Amino acid sequence: MNEIFFLSLKDFLLAAVVAIGFAVLFRTPRSVLWVAGLLGGAGHLLRYVLHFQIGSGIVISTLLAALFIGIAGIYLAHKVHTPPVVFTVPACITMIPGLYAYRTMLGLLKITDLDTARQDANNILLDTVHNFVLASSLLFCLAMGICVGILLFRQKSAKHITFKLRRRVIRYREKK
Amino acid sequence: MDRSEIKHLAGTHTDLLLDIGSTLLASGATSERINRNVQRIGSQLGYDVDIFFDYTGLIITIQLKSDPTIYATRHKKLSKHHANFNILKDISLLSWKVKEDNLEVPEIEEALEEIKTEPTYSRWQILIAVGLACFALCFTAGGNLKSAGIAGLAGFAGMYVRQELEKRGYLSMIVIMGASFVSSMIASADAIFKIGDKPEITAATCVLYLIPGVQMINSVIDLIEGYYPMALARGVFSSYIILWIAVGITLSIMFIGLSNF
């Protein structure tokens, strides 16, 4: 149990560093860097727990983690008065399928050489296609998380999204 | 004010809205965000705004709400895309401020100029951030401490090369290729000298800072929000960048040999 806690903590901290690093690269304002780190760490931790500890598939774990980042990002956006994309994009980048994209590329490189490809044709083709499909699916999941506001809340601006049911009911009545 | 003056004014207002829109586009905003921000400011100035989106430029048509015979259409070309979320945040806040405080046009222009020239992070801060990010990415992907150190160093050096090449005005594909070549050459040390146990992870994670993450994610978001041509253009552009990353890695593989990767 202790070991799982330690591994989770390590995952959280490293993912937070990745998120802050990418946030600086994308020039996220200094005042909200911590939000990017927090969301990136928490999202990656959620994926780590779902995928490696509970054992659910990597695509569904990434989707849930990205949705978590998206929803928590909208909540935090109200607190710090900043549009959510500013920190949800670097937070989701922590889960970017770089390894799978890299393997796709290496597989394609191997296919360019016919002799190499013939040695183990079935595996090389299958691996390449699998890695390509996996990388694109994961990327799509990350984007879903970032635009969760439009997908679930039917609101174009995060400013109008509220988590309090009563306020939503009142707004609904006003619309009528 | 007579008609020609109002028409002239409409023209300058279109230029202001174009300036706002193209700054947002260059900073990595999604089409819907550009649309919303420009509409918000435009409707406060009394216009109906229509935007045509393209990856390399915008066309904005405005029409006076009180007098539909007054209208103007302008186009602005964009030279460079460079993710800058600071500008995204500032323009979003500006657009709400325009709506709530009824800012005049000269005030908006002044605020926009200030936003555009606002300094963000220094070169070295970005270098260190990229190095740390590559280090942590390699560590979380399953590399050991030594591999992660090499990945961090490779990211740092590659980013330095990228900045230097960008400063000298090379084409973006050459910049990306050079940076990915330098990064993967450094990362290949892991495989050659057998430092870490999984050299593949080092090689894969050290070039991730080059991936056009903002454009890739924006591409899918534009697809979901219904800006199909823009989504297509962003997708093609990011695949193109990834292709050049691959070319850089391939070059270093030619030096090192495929079996080492």
Side-chain angles (χ1 to χ4, degrees):
Chain A
M1 195 63 214
N2 227 345
E3 195 193 8
I4 292 176
F5 175 76
F6 179 71
L7 283 174
S8 306
L9 187 69
K10 179 186 148 195
D11 193 77
F12 176 85
L13 289 177
L14 286 173
V17 171
V18 177
I20 291 174
F22 273 94
V24 171
L25 186 62
F26 299 150
R27 290 164 182 79
T28 295
R30 270 197 184 81
S31 52
V32 295
L33 275 183
W34 65 272
V35 183
L38 184 71
L39 284 179
H44 203 274
L45 175 65
L46 182 64
R47 180 173 86 151
Y48 173 78
V49 170
L50 284 175
H51 182 49
F52 290 101
Q53 303 296 345
I54 297 175
S56 54
I58 185 157
V59 177
I60 191 77
S61 320
T62 307
L63 180 63
L64 289 175
L67 288 177
F68 166 78
I69 288 176
I71 292 170
I74 292 168
Y75 177 76
L76 286 168
H78 287 282
K79 302 267 166 203
V80 295
H81 299 290
T82 304
V85 279
V86 164
F87 33 77
T88 50
V89 170
C92 281
I93 292 270
T94 56
M95 297 184 284
I96 200 145
L99 199 59
Y100 304 111
Y102 178 79
R103 282 181 188 154
T104 309
M105 195 211 78
L106 273 192
L108 290 174
L109 265 186
K110 279 178 190 155
I111 293 172
T112 56
D113 188 26
L114 202 55
D115 289 332
T116 320
R118 277 211 178 110
Q119 281 169 18
D120 197 8
N122 284 332
N123 279 337
I124 288 180
L125 278 179
L126 182 64
D127 282 354
T128 309
V129 173
H130 164 76
N131 282 319
F132 174 72
V133 173
L134 194 55
S136 352
S137 314
L138 291 177
L139 187 72
F140 204 81
C141 290
L142 297 187
M144 300 266 275
I146 292 167
C147 50
V148 65
I150 311 140
L151 289 172
L152 296 184
F153 295 95
R154 290 168 297 157
Q155 288 288 339
K156 296 252 166 176
S157 175
K159 208 169 180 152
H160 295 133
I161 296 171
T162 153
F163 291 100
K164 297 203 175 80
L165 191 64
R166 225 173 98 233
R167 249 195 275 165
R168 297 190 78 172
V169 171
I170 291 168
R171 204 178 54 221
Y172 181 69
R173 279 190 196 137
E174 278 170 359
K175 253 191 201 165
K176 271 190 165 176
Chain B
M1 238 195 291
D2 65 5
R3 226 183 121 74
S4 65
E5 267 180 66
I6 298 176
K7 265 203 127 144
H8 178 72
L9 212 58
T12 53
H13 288 170
T14 322
D15 284 339
L16 173 67
L17 293 179
L18 261 179
D19 205 4
I20 294 169
S22 57
T23 310
L24 278 173
L25 181 57
S27 311
T30 57
S31 308
E32 182 54 40
R33 166 168 298 278
I34 300 169
N35 194 22
R36 252 186 287 129
N37 281 320
V38 173
Q39 296 270 9
R40 206 177 285 143
I41 294 173
S43 74
Q44 197 60 34
L45 297 176
Y47 296 104
D48 283 322
V49 184
D50 272 310
I51 311 176
F52 178 80
F53 288 96
D54 187 30
Y55 189 67
T56 50
L58 294 175
I59 300 175
I60 293 188
T61 299
I62 64 172
Q63 196 169 26
L64 204 59
K65 276 180 193 160
S66 53
D67 180 4
T69 57
I70 304 277
Y71 58 88
T73 301
R74 298 275 170 94
H75 171 244
K76 186 169 181 181
K77 225 171 135 60
L78 266 185
S79 55
K80 229 173 182 181
H81 289 256
H82 221 290
N84 189 334
F85 285 167
N86 203 26
I87 288 181
L88 241 72
K89 175 206 158 205
D90 283 346
I91 290 186
S92 174
L93 292 183
L94 174 69
S95 73
W96 285 107
K97 209 174 152 201
V98 169
K99 198 178 173 188
E100 278 152 17
D101 301 352
N102 256 322
L103 291 189
E104 296 292 317
V105 174
E107 288 174 305
I108 303 174
E109 278 169 350
E110 204 177 296
L112 185 65
E113 213 43 53
E114 208 171 285
I115 289 169
K116 275 205 230 163
T117 51
E118 195 184 316
T120 48
Y121 296 99
S122 75
R123 202 182 151 177
W124 291 99
Q125 283 170 330
I126 291 177
L127 277 174
I128 290 166
V130 167
L132 282 176
C134 287
F135 170 84
L137 266 172
C138 185
F139 213 177
T140 44
N144 62 14
L145 204 57
K146 282 179 194 161
S147 299
I150 293 173
L153 189 68
F156 185 90
M159 190 67 201
Y160 181 79
V161 171
R162 182 185 181 176
Q163 287 175 341
E164 283 298 314
L165 291 177
E166 252 167 18
K167 211 166 65 183
R168 285 171 174 72
Y170 280 98
L171 276 178
S172 62
M173 52 189 198
I174 302 293
V175 174
I176 298 291
M177 191 188 74
S180 105
F181 174 70
V182 169
S183 285
S184 47
M185 276 306 262
I186 293 175
S188 66
D190 194 1
I192 293 169
F193 303 115
K194 310 249 178 323
I195 298 169
D197 44 352
K198 287 175 192 153
E200 184 204 28
I201 290 174
T202 320
T205 48
C206 75
V207 288
L208 285 185
Y209 67 95
L210 290 168
I211 293 216
V214 176
Q215 296 298 356
M216 278 165 97
I217 290 174
N218 281 355
S219 164
V220 182
I221 294 176
D222 276 351
L223 201 57
I224 293 171
E225 289 175 331
Y227 295 87
Y228 307 118
M230 192 70 156
L232 201 62
R234 287 192 208 265
V236 169
F237 171 78
S238 36
S239 318
Y240 179 65
I241 293 293
I242 290 171
L243 183 70
W244 282 101
I245 299 174
V247 170
I249 298 174
T250 313
L251 271 181
S252 69
I253 286 177
M254 276 165 61
F255 278 94
I256 311 291
L258 187 60
S259 54
N260 279 326
F261 275 82

